[in-house]
Amino acid sequence: MERWIGKVAVVTGASSGIGAAVVKALAGAGMITVGLARRAERVEAMRKELPAAVATRIHALKCDVTNEASILEAFASVQRQFGGVDVLINNAGVSRQEVTLVSPGNTEDLRAVLDTNVLGLVLCTREAFNMMRSRSVDGHIVNLNSILGHKYVPFPNLNMYMASKYAVTAITETLRNDFRNENTRVKVTSISPGIVRTEMLPEGDQFAGTPMLEAEDVANAILYAVGTPPHVQVHEIIIKPVGETV
């Protein structure tokens, strides 16, 4: 990670779970880290709990990735305050576990998943990539995917979430080719965890006794991918807890 010390990382969905763990990890590795979140106050509160040497490198910006105007304003703020972005972690994601694809009146829920997990990811990538290209930066985009983006698993009522993660798999491959065709050396990586202990898991005992990853495990995988030499592109990492049956 030495080459990224003092460079700028942007993390979406930074207020909890994997996003919060990634913010801490990147700042701890020496990067100026901007956490984007609808609940930016939670990023600020987290920052205040960290050692001063790390906390000074963390900045919070309010952003709703389902809203293009909010994305544009957030990235414009990063441009004004920090000169641009070098690493983008597309972490923001939602699921709507109470609906299926054919649930009556489910349009709002379907749009929420697609607008966050797919379109928001693409729009954030577009803004970050163009900042990288304009500054001739060999940057890195990391997309938080899922094992559910590679195989169908009969979890109850996660159909649109799985579809959105399949889209992330395809988008990552498309971006790799787009970046190459634009004559850049910007890298892209998909990180596909198994079950992670975060706020996204439904309440109750559905997953009692199920092997799980911690958010920090995923953050460590991201640090590994981002820390590879400029000529190495880790395109996909699938990371599972030992004993997982999926």
Side-chain angles (χ1 to χ4, degrees):
M1 291 293 292
E2 288 81 4
R3 70 190 181 97
W4 296 113
I5 292 174
K7 302 298 184 181
V8 178
V10 171
V11 181
T12 68
S15 64
S16 64
I18 294 171
V22 173
V23 167
K24 295 176 186 177
L26 292 173
M31 296 196 74
I32 299 167
T33 307
V34 183
L36 304 186
R38 289 175 299 174
R39 301 171 296 181
E41 67 279 0
R42 291 185 62 171
V43 180
E44 192 62 35
M46 173 188 70
R47 184 186 70 81
K48 293 177 180 178
E49 296 176 354
L50 297 172
V54 176
T56 55
R57 291 192 286 268
I58 295 175
H59 306 268
L61 284 177
K62 188 175 180 63
C63 180
D64 179 355
V65 300
T66 68
N67 184 308
E68 183 176 9
S70 181
I71 291 171
L72 295 179
E73 176 54 35
F75 278 88
S77 294
V78 172
Q79 179 80 52
R80 288 192 304 269
Q81 296 180 46
F82 308 106
V85 57
D86 301 292
V87 172
L88 169 67
I89 313 298
N90 281 312
N91 168 73
V94 298
S95 66
R96 290 290 186 268
Q97 292 149 3
E98 63 274 13
V99 299
T100 69
L101 295 184
V102 294
S103 297
N106 63 0
T107 304
E108 184 177 346
D109 290 308
L110 299 182
R111 288 189 185 280
V113 174
L114 290 175
D115 285 349
T116 303
N117 299 4
V118 180
L119 188 56
L121 178 149
V122 172
L123 295 180
C124 289
T125 297
R126 181 191 68 190
E127 296 307 303
F129 172 74
N130 282 290
M131 286 185 187
M132 294 171 186
R133 181 171 56 175
S134 68
R135 295 156 53 232
S136 299
V137 168
D138 295 342
H140 201 141
I141 310 287
V142 176
N143 296 329
L144 255 295
N145 198 341
S146 169
I147 58 167
L148 302 180
H150 301 275
K151 61 189 295 185
Y152 177 81
V153 179
F155 285 159
N157 302 342
L158 280 178
N159 298 304
M160 184 52 76
Y161 180 81
M162 281 187 270
S164 73
K165 292 305 183 181
Y166 264 85
V168 171
T169 299
I171 288 166
T172 302
E173 177 62 14
T174 302
L175 289 172
R176 185 181 67 83
N177 285 280
D178 284 349
F179 296 166
R180 185 193 65 234
N181 293 338
E182 292 286 342
N183 296 314
T184 74
R185 292 176 61 84
V186 175
K187 300 196 284 186
V188 61
T189 299
S190 165
I191 304 286
S192 297
I195 298 176
V196 185
R197 199 185 316 275
T198 70
E199 293 178 4
M200 283 187 67
L201 287 180
E203 296 181 359
D205 58 2
Q206 178 181 352
F207 293 102
T210 302
M212 292 189 190
L213 297 168
E214 302 297 336
E216 291 74 18
D217 299 323
V218 182
N220 288 336
I222 291 171
L223 285 185
Y224 164 73
V226 173
T228 53
H231 71 286
V232 175
Q233 177 158 272
V234 178
H235 187 68
E236 175 71 52
I237 294 178
I238 295 178
I239 175 173
K240 298 183 180 184
V242 172
E244 183 177 274
T245 58
V246 175

